[in-house]
């Protein structure tokens, strides 16, 4: 049976929009719902924290929602990393948690212990992008095994020629997200092979803009972060093609959609607190607006929209309060997003 969220008004316009096209388009923003504006205007402020990778999507969505419904309450958006965001979310301190990886088993247990039920909503694809300075003339591509050797916890690589002998005998300066970041977790899991097993002698930040600036300013730098941050700075950065065994593949919308950029292509998420949605009409209306306009906004921000079917399934999960996660607490680059969404959720 559908819960009280249906009263917030899932419009037929959303279904028509997601079924009608398969590529990003300049579709006008869809109205989120014919919810009672008086109820929305009198609602509590909405709080969002979590991933710096997802932050640009949510911040843009909040701005557009406010333009659409100027009497709606404030939407407070910030980022403390996926892990930091889940700490607050599972303590009941925030309404929405932005995440660049699925919720972990430990975080699921923490939410359950605190009675925090949630709906998991994938909103975009990201290509985790490995970048070097624009003056780097020697590295155009790198293998997954070379990345593992560089970033594993006991790595002794400190200069470029230790990766390849024909690269220069120059110190390599590493930049990457901090340990509270979902990007750090995902990279460690799929590149190094173990969650949290990355080396720690690198320049870390939860703010991807700081990582971009660091690589831009150091000719010997190498770093990694989300695709949208690279696209914003690609005039002064070079993205390395990644060879996972079938030849080097550049990060792009096409290689994300085709699956060629695996395992560094990944879904991005928001997690919604069920009880808070029930008690806050503005929160429900904002999430409906978010999902109805995800394709347009995700493309505008610089990430890759999900397939239409994925947005349709995710909206159905929201309407029907499908509580829990379908990811078993880990990355699943072996399955399509549609296959994952059809799995039974665990809580």
């Amino acid at each position: 049976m559908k819960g009280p969220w249906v009263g917030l008004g899932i419009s037929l316009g959303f279904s028509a929009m997601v079924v009608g096209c398969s590529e990003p388009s300049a579709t006008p923003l869809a109205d989120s719902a014919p919810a009672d504006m008086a109820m929305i205007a009198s609602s509590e402020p909405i709080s969002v924290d979590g991933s710096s990778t997802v932050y640009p999507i949510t911040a843009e969505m909040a701005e557009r929602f406010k333009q659409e419904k100027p009497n709606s309450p404030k939407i407070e958006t910030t980022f403390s990393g996926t892990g930091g965001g889940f700490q607050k979310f599972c303590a009941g301190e925030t309404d929405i948690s932005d995440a660049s990886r699925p919720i972990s088993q430990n975080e699921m247990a923490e939410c359950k212990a605190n009675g925090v039920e949630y709906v998991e909503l994938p909103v975009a694809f990201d290509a985790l992008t490995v970048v070097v300075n624009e003056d780097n003339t020697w590295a155009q591509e790198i293998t997954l095994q070379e990345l593992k050797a560089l970033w594993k916890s006991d790595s002794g690589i400190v200069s470029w020629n230790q990766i390849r002998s024909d690269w220069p005998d120059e110190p390599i300066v590493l930049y990457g997200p901090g340990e509270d970041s979902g990007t750090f977790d995902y990279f460690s899991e799929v590149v190094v092979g173990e969650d949290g097993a990355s080396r720690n002698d690198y320049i870390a930040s939860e703010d991807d803009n700081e990582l971009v600036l660091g690589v831009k300013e150091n000719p010997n730098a190498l770093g990694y972060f989300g695709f949208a941050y690279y696209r914003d700075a690609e005039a002064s950065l070079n993205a390395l093609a990644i060879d996972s065994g079938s030849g080097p593949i550049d990060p792009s919308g096409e290689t994300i959609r085709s699956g060629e950029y695996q395992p560094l292509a990944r879904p991005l998420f928001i997690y919604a607190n069920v009880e808070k949605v029930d008690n806050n009409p503005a929160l429900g209306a904002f999430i409906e607006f978010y999902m109805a306009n995800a394709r347009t906004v995700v493309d505008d921000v610089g990430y890759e929209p999900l397939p239409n079917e994925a947005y349709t399934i995710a909206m159905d999960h929201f309407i029907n309060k499908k509580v829990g996660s379908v990811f078993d607490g880990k990355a699943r680059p072996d399955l399509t997003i549609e296959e994952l969404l059809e799995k039974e959720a665990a809580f």
Side-chain angles (χ1 to χ4, degrees):
M1 177 179 292
K2 294 180 179 180
W5 293 357
V6 178
L8 293 172
I10 306 296
S11 68
L12 291 176
F14 171 76
S15 298
M17 180 181 70
V18 298
V19 172
C21 61
S22 60
E23 296 297 328
S25 66
T27 306
L29 291 184
D31 190 4
S32 57
D36 187 318
M37 279 308 302
M39 292 175 62
I40 291 177
S42 62
S43 295
E44 293 294 315
I46 297 167
S47 58
V48 188
D49 196 359
S51 167
S52 62
T53 304
V54 184
Y55 171 80
I57 304 172
T58 299
E60 180 65 19
M61 202 71 73
E63 184 176 332
R64 297 192 191 193
F65 181 73
K66 194 69 176 176
Q67 292 171 355
E68 183 82 18
K69 302 187 185 304
N71 293 326
S72 60
K74 182 179 180 182
I75 302 175
E76 300 169 343
T77 58
T78 188
F79 55 87
S80 59
T82 296
F86 275 131
Q87 282 185 340
K88 297 176 184 178
F89 182 76
C90 291
E93 297 173 7
T94 55
D95 302 319
I96 296 172
S97 200
D98 291 340
S100 60
R101 57 155 173 82
I103 188 170
S104 71
Q105 291 284 354
N106 287 341
E107 290 157 350
M108 291 168 69
E110 186 68 18
C111 277
K112 189 170 185 177
N114 292 329
V116 175
E117 294 187 331
Y118 51 84
V119 177
E120 177 181 73
L121 298 168
V123 297
F125 276 133
D126 178 31
L128 202 157
T129 308
V130 181
V131 301
V132 295
N133 184 276
E134 65 176 335
D135 292 332
N136 182 320
T137 58
W138 57 91
Q140 283 79 46
E141 47 90 11
I142 194 167
T143 70
L144 206 59
Q145 287 303 310
E146 287 168 338
L147 279 176
K148 179 177 181 178
L150 175 61
W151 283 96
K152 64 182 182 178
S153 58
D154 60 350
S155 175
I157 296 175
V158 295
S159 62
W160 283 97
N161 68 340
Q162 289 178 279
I163 303 175
R164 294 188 187 181
S165 59
D166 59 339
W167 287 356
D169 184 10
E170 295 288 344
I172 187 166
V173 182
L174 298 175
Y175 290 83
E179 294 184 4
D180 278 338
S181 167
T183 301
F184 169 87
D185 293 332
Y186 189 90
F187 188 88
S188 297
E189 186 173 342
V190 303
V191 173
V192 180
E194 183 181 349
D195 187 21
S198 172
R199 67 192 295 169
N200 56 22
D201 57 336
Y202 67 97
I203 300 169
S205 176
E206 304 297 345
D207 186 344
D208 290 343
N209 288 306
E210 292 184 3
L211 302 178
V212 169
L213 184 61
V215 178
K216 285 171 65 173
E217 292 182 342
N218 194 319
N220 288 314
L222 179 145
Y224 68 92
F225 39 75
F227 189 50
Y229 287 91
Y230 162 69
R231 289 181 69 176
D232 274 349
E234 62 182 318
S236 53
L237 294 175
N238 294 329
L240 299 186
I242 306 300
D243 186 349
S244 301
S246 302
I249 302 294
D250 289 306
S252 69
E254 181 179 350
T255 59
I256 296 169
R257 289 192 302 272
S258 68
E260 295 174 272
Y261 195 67
Q262 291 291 20
L264 295 186
R266 57 175 180 166
L268 304 176
F269 308 87
I270 61 171
Y271 288 76
N273 183 306
V274 169
E275 182 179 2
K276 290 178 181 288
V277 170
D278 281 340
N279 294 326
N280 188 340
L283 177 58
F286 174 60
I287 294 172
E288 289 182 12
F289 180 90
Y290 201 125
M291 298 308 298
N293 294 289
R295 170 169 288 281
T296 299
V297 175
V298 164
D299 188 50
D300 289 347
V301 169
Y303 292 116
E304 184 63 22
L306 300 176
N308 291 324
E309 183 183 359
Y311 287 122
T312 304
I313 296 170
M315 180 64 93
D316 182 70
H317 289 183
F318 181 67
I319 296 169
N320 290 289
K321 297 185 186 178
K322 184 176 180 179
V323 171
S325 173
V326 299
F327 283 81
D328 302 321
K330 57 183 180 294
R332 293 299 304 270
D334 56 317
L335 296 177
T336 68
I337 194 70
E338 295 95 332
E339 289 171 335
L340 283 163
L341 288 171
E342 293 290 2
K343 285 165 54 78
E344 288 297 317
F347 175 68

